[in-house]
Amino acid sequence: MTRGWAGGISLTAWSCGTGPPSGAAYAFGIDFPEQLTNTNPPNQWFRVRGSAGRMGTLNPETGNWKYNNMAEPKENLQMEKIVSLCKRRGFVFPSSEIYGGINGFWDYGPLGAELKRNVKDLWWNAMIRQREDTAGLEATIIMSPAIWKASGHVDTFADMMRECLLTKKRVRADQVEPQSGTVYRWTGAESKTSGWKSTKNFAVLLRKGENPESARKKAREFYAQGSIDLATDEWTQLVLNGESTATATDSIDFHPESCAELSEARPFKLMFKTYVGPVESEDSVAYLRPETAQAIFVQFKNVLETSRQKVPFGIGQIGKAFRNEVTPRNYTFRSREFEQMEMEFFIQPDEVIEAIYGSVATVPATGHPGEPQPNWGWQAWHQYWVEERVRFYEGIGLARTTLGFHRQTPEELAHYARACTDILYQFPFSKKDADGNVAGDELEGIAARSDFDLSQHQRFSGKPMGVFDEALRTAWGKLPKEKQDDLWKRYYENRKKYLTKMAKPDETPEQIQKQATEDANGLAKGQYIPHVIEPSAGVDRLILALLANAYTEVAKTDAKGRSETNVVMKFHPRVAPIKVGVMPLLKNKPELVQKALAVRDLLRPWMNVYYDETGSIGRRYARQDEAGTPFCVTIDFDSLGEKPELLDTVTLRYRDDGRQERLKISELRDWLLAKIR
Ligand code: GAP
């Protein structure tokens, strides 16, 4: 059920967007993704969601989907409050709200836009500008559809879904809530009037206390659906055949709303499709990118040649991504349009490291491995990036204690990945395990993607994606034959494994061996295809984490003894949308106003300043507390020299504890800059 937004937003509403007031969460103008058949090629792979407890795997041979159940909590007061504040203060609005909203799309209001900009700037600074070994990219959203064929998205980027046999509503296979009760089954139905008959099986779960007749009514509706022969109302008289009952405990085979049986799980494609040019035909199909990463792979050579970088180095991009998620949920957490901040960090394969440096460095399995070293293999780089990203989160106010980690198991890993560590944040809606511990939900995944992506684009585009490394060529020539053979063999086996797995239908084992041999022979010439470590973060999820992390309620008692609860958004000053509030103590004293405006103008070129002269000073502080402004400065009579020693000073107030101190106006800018950078 979707309830309205007025006076605080209902829980179901933050899952579903706005909408008509009765159970119409599915009616938001977006068609469900197109269905795949189960006849995909045997080497197909399906993307596995990256966060703990939210995953499943498809056995490509049998088509069977094995999933871990993940039900969403019914109530989450904390989220309701956050959503309500976001709407009220202009952090986040439902997209297209005046037209009833559109499920899975969100707009950022004035404060949200600032917050988002700060987060993206901080990422860009940390990942691109402050490093010697990275470069930036800004690619188009719509790219050649051939890219998505090569990456595997066209054929296999899908979610497993199940359909209610009665209402046709769809749910993600890993999100069906377990239900208990009595299962009523039938083997068919028939009409004694017209002689119409069905021999389909159907089942309905009857919850405790419900009337079995309601189950039978649903069964009659189900059987009547497929019949064009039944006259009006004839369906109500259908005779149900072969009724049997059984007890079900925590069954995930029934739709949570209708309680009717669900279909088998089937994959549904997640990419948004469009057409380029005036003709809508198969030849003009294009896709909105479902990740920013692929543009980086296809521009790898251009960036390498123009940036004077050398492997190991990374290319980063921030930008929009689109996925026609089956069930957008948890406010902005799973949206259909969102932004990613992705780095593809290209490294030498371990065989190349070994050839040049004799061995691959080992680093402790936990903790930061320190400054990058030339002899690092993929494991050290993976560990490094996990820890670098955690440092980033700590640097913007997400303490390590609020984060979780999930190292994907071999079953969860995408087939090309060697490892993937998800950094989780403990959102208010994150699940508790049996012991009450919260692992969290995925903020970012750091994947070791091997040389899969560049290899795929090399094969599909026919353009070489490998690099030449003089150090490798020189080192190779000096290696003992035994070592050369060993490294050659290992590289050959890895290439053969990849080529076999991704073979096109017309490729023979001989062709694969020939290609793997050529690839391994490249080592002696100093050639190889770089491997990749990919830290991939979602901007919107991070914003949601920052909002949840900042949200604090402070109980206060006013002068008349009345208690009230104020919200203080305790953002780290680096991400806070407004850095400082500037206020004259009184707005009807021109000298105070003039000086306050001068302070505002002094700070404005350097940071986002909010000037406020209306209402009591306490009310103005409270407004800034809600916006998450870490500092306020007040220009009072002492600033004008009432106490001569305080001339040209201001009162500086700290948001988090209300502490106040005096600061010289001449020192204000540098003091604030030191806090917000
Ligand atoms: N290139 C790898 C990649 O796209 P992913 O795990 O599918 O990997 C990376 O996505 C990050 O993008 C996630 O960790 C998450 O933060 C964000 N993300 C993915 N799907 C999202 C969605 N539907 N809504 C919001 N953020 C999403």
Side-chain angles (χ1 to χ4, degrees):
M1 294 282 287
T2 307
R3 286 176 274 135
W5 291 87
I9 290 160
S10 73
L11 231 268
T12 36
W14 61 259
S15 301
C16 305
T18 55
S22 69
Y26 293 90
F28 290 119
I30 290 275
D31 290 335
F32 280 106
E34 158 194 346
Q35 185 177 323
L36 290 178
T37 63
N38 268 342
T39 54
N40 295 296
N43 62 3
Q44 74 179 23
W45 51 275
F46 286 96
R47 190 171 144 272
V48 175
R49 299 235 162 221
S51 88
R54 300 192 146 207
M55 284 154 283
T57 41
L58 180 80
N59 180 330
E61 263 82 55
T62 62
N64 288 336
W65 173 248
K66 189 167 151 280
Y67 46 85
N68 305 335
N69 183 58
M70 199 225 61
E72 197 173 8
K74 278 268 183 303
E75 291 195 355
N76 195 322
L77 192 59
Q78 185 75 353
M79 275 308 296
E80 276 196 53
K81 289 175 177 175
I82 292 168
V83 172
S84 171
L85 176 98
C86 284
K87 175 84 196 312
R88 187 160 50 79
R89 288 310 313 259
F91 283 102
V92 181
F93 305 130
S95 167
S96 324
E97 193 185 8
I98 60 167
Y99 289 100
I102 171 166
N103 199 11
F105 296 85
W106 299 92
D107 293 341
Y108 289 83
L111 290 178
E114 288 290 339
L115 181 61
K116 212 173 179 192
R117 186 168 288 267
N118 291 342
V119 162
K120 289 192 284 184
D121 285 350
L122 285 160
W123 186 93
W124 193 261
N125 270 332
M127 300 292 274
I128 309 292
R129 291 198 174 149
Q130 308 287 328
R131 297 186 66 103
E132 289 295 312
D133 56 358
T134 57
L137 180 74
E138 184 145 337
T140 57
I141 285 169
I142 294 180
M143 303 188 286
S144 164
I147 290 173
W148 306 112
K149 194 79 191 148
S151 68
H153 285 81
V154 167
D155 294 326
T156 61
F157 189 56
D159 260 349
M160 298 307 293
M161 284 183 38
R162 301 179 77 183
E163 188 172 273
C164 171
L165 296 183
L166 179 63
T167 61
K168 308 297 175 214
K169 284 182 179 176
R170 290 165 188 169
V171 283
R172 247 179 63 185
D174 59 343
Q175 290 173 352
V176 184
E177 282 193 49
Q179 298 188 86
S180 303
T182 307
V183 179
Y184 279 70
R185 289 188 187 284
W186 297 272
T187 55
E190 61 192 284
S191 163
K192 296 290 181 199
T193 329
S194 62
W196 174 89
K197 197 169 177 171
S198 165
T199 53
K200 280 191 268 182
N201 291 325
F202 181 64
V204 171
L205 181 112
L206 199 72
R207 295 195 192 110
K208 205 171 164 206
E210 286 178 340
N211 186 340
E213 274 316 309
S214 70
R216 295 187 186 112
K217 185 169 171 235
K218 285 177 192 169
R220 289 192 180 92
E221 280 175 33
F222 165 78
Y223 284 113
Q225 273 174 4
S227 162
I228 47 164
D229 305 333
L230 294 177
T232 324
D233 281 351
E234 194 183 336
W235 69 273
T236 57
Q237 307 301 321
L238 285 180
V239 175
L240 300 170
N241 293 332
E243 181 174 296
S244 63
T245 59
T247 305
T249 309
D250 289 338
S251 170
I252 45 172
D253 290 328
F254 298 90
H255 193 277
E257 285 170 16
S258 71
C259 291
E261 196 176 354
L262 289 167
S263 69
E264 283 300 305
R266 281 186 305 230
F268 284 82
K269 288 186 177 179
L270 294 176
M271 277 203 297
F272 281 103
K273 214 177 190 177
T274 186
Y275 299 92
V276 173
V279 183
E280 290 193 9
S281 72
E282 272 312 298
D283 293 338
S284 61
V285 164
Y287 301 95
L288 303 192
R289 68 181 176 203
E291 61 174 18
T292 56
Q294 293 305 320
I296 296 178
F297 296 124
V298 299
Q299 293 292 5
F300 167 70
K301 276 303 192 73
N302 277 336
V303 176
L304 182 70
E305 279 154 24
T306 54
S307 64
R308 298 175 60 82
Q309 290 287 355
K310 195 169 163 289
V311 176
F313 84 105
I315 305 176
Q317 175 167 223
I318 299 178
K320 290 270 187 184
F322 304 81
R323 296 180 188 177
N324 200 357
E325 297 284 356
V326 177
T327 42
R329 53 170 40 218
N330 287 335
Y331 199 29
T332 57
F333 181 84
R334 175 148 298 137
S335 307
R336 287 177 165 145
E337 175 176 338
F338 56 97
E339 273 187 279
Q340 290 186 314
M341 306 183 284
E342 295 198 292
M343 166 72 69
E344 306 303 325
F345 197 83
F346 300 95
I347 57 171
Q348 294 160 313
D350 281 6
E351 293 83 10
V352 171
I353 298 286
E354 240 181 279
I356 301 175
Y357 302 101
S359 64
V360 173
T362 49
V363 295
T366 53
H368 199 295
E371 282 303 300
Q373 298 300 317
N375 60 348
W376 273 7
W378 73 266
Q379 275 165 317
W381 276 112
H382 184 245
Q383 177 72 11
Y384 169 82
W385 277 113
V386 171
E387 290 298 322
E388 279 291 293
R389 298 301 304 143
V390 172
R391 278 187 181 175
F392 175 81
Y393 290 124
E394 287 177 318
I396 57 172
L398 299 182
R400 204 174 258 261
T401 49
T402 66
L403 303 175
F405 299 91
H406 174 68
R407 205 177 163 94
Q408 289 187 11
T409 62
E411 297 77 50
E412 291 165 1
L413 282 176
H415 69 95
Y416 54 80
R418 290 176 153 177
C420 185
T421 301
D422 294 332
I423 300 178
L424 319 174
Y425 175 76
Q426 294 161 16
F427 289 97
F429 49 77
S430 295
K431 289 244 152 306
K432 283 195 174 100
D433 68 14
D435 302 323
N437 301 317
V438 182
D441 286 279
E442 180 186 335
L443 262 190
E444 166 161 1
I446 295 113
R449 295 177 72 114
S450 70
D451 53 7
F452 173 81
D453 303 277
L454 290 181
S455 301
Q456 282 294 94
H457 289 302
Q458 175 168 293
R459 288 172 64 236
F460 277 71
S461 69
K463 304 284 185 317
M465 285 292 175
V467 295
F468 169 73
D469 191 333
E470 181 58 51
L472 169 63
R473 196 165 65 107
T474 314
W476 192 269
K478 294 180 188 160
L479 287 178
K481 173 85 174 60
E482 236 169 61
K483 187 72 183 170
Q484 284 180 347
D485 289 349
D486 171 44
L487 294 175
W488 188 97
K489 184 111 196 4
R490 274 154 51 196
Y491 195 79
Y492 169 85
E493 289 301 338
N494 283 338
R495 294 300 298 163
K496 195 173 110 187
K497 198 167 149 200
Y498 153 74
L499 290 164
T500 307
K501 205 160 201 168
M502 301 313 295
K504 292 180 183 163
D506 56 350
E507 276 176 313
T508 63
E510 292 71 35
Q511 284 171 316
I512 288 170
Q513 279 165 22
K514 186 166 170 270
Q515 183 60 54
T517 305
E518 258 176 46
D519 293 346
N521 287 345
L523 291 177
K525 299 176 205 152
Q527 288 162 354
Y528 64 88
I529 297 183
H531 283 223
V532 165
I533 306 292
E534 177 196 63
S536 169
V539 181
D540 308 79
R541 285 196 187 170
L542 178 50
I543 298 295
L544 187 54
L546 292 170
L547 286 164
N549 192 62
Y551 186 91
T552 315
E553 288 181 351
V554 179
K556 282 208 174 122
T557 308
D558 69 13
K560 293 183 182 144
R562 286 178 303 220
S563 58
E564 59 173 16
T565 303
N566 292 344
V567 173
V568 181
M569 293 299 282
K570 294 190 174 178
F571 294 120
H572 191 287
R574 289 192 181 119
V575 296
I578 301 166
K579 305 301 183 192
V580 59
V582 175
M583 310 165 179
L585 185 63
L586 299 170
K587 78 166 174 183
N588 56 1
K589 293 283 174 215
E591 316 88 282
L592 290 177
V593 170
Q594 210 180 357
K595 198 160 214 107
L597 288 172
V599 170
R600 178 198 68 181
D601 293 343
L602 174 82
L603 299 175
R604 216 176 219 178
W606 303 92
M607 63 196 75
N608 194 22
V609 184
Y610 191 87
Y611 175 80
D612 191 0
E613 57 178 30
T614 50
S616 73
I617 197 75
R619 193 63 226 122
R620 282 182 268 166
Y621 285 156
R623 276 203 289 266
Q624 291 308 309
D625 287 349
E626 262 195 350
T629 309
F631 310 106
C632 284
V633 296
T634 305
I635 288 75
D636 54 21
F637 292 103
D638 286 340
S639 313
L640 301 177
E642 200 165 276
K643 283 195 194 117
E645 69 278 18
L646 296 182
L647 176 70
D648 285 334
T649 63
V650 291
T651 302
L652 178 110
R653 174 189 178 266
Y654 292 79
R655 172 198 63 202
D656 293 348
D657 53 11
R659 195 161 33 103
Q660 301 193 357
E661 60 191 46
R662 295 244 26 127
L663 211 67
K664 286 185 186 156
I665 292 175
S666 58
E667 290 169 5
L668 193 53
R669 187 197 70 183
D670 288 349
W671 188 92
L672 286 166
L673 284 177
K675 303 282 178 202
I676 66 175
R677 280 186 172 162

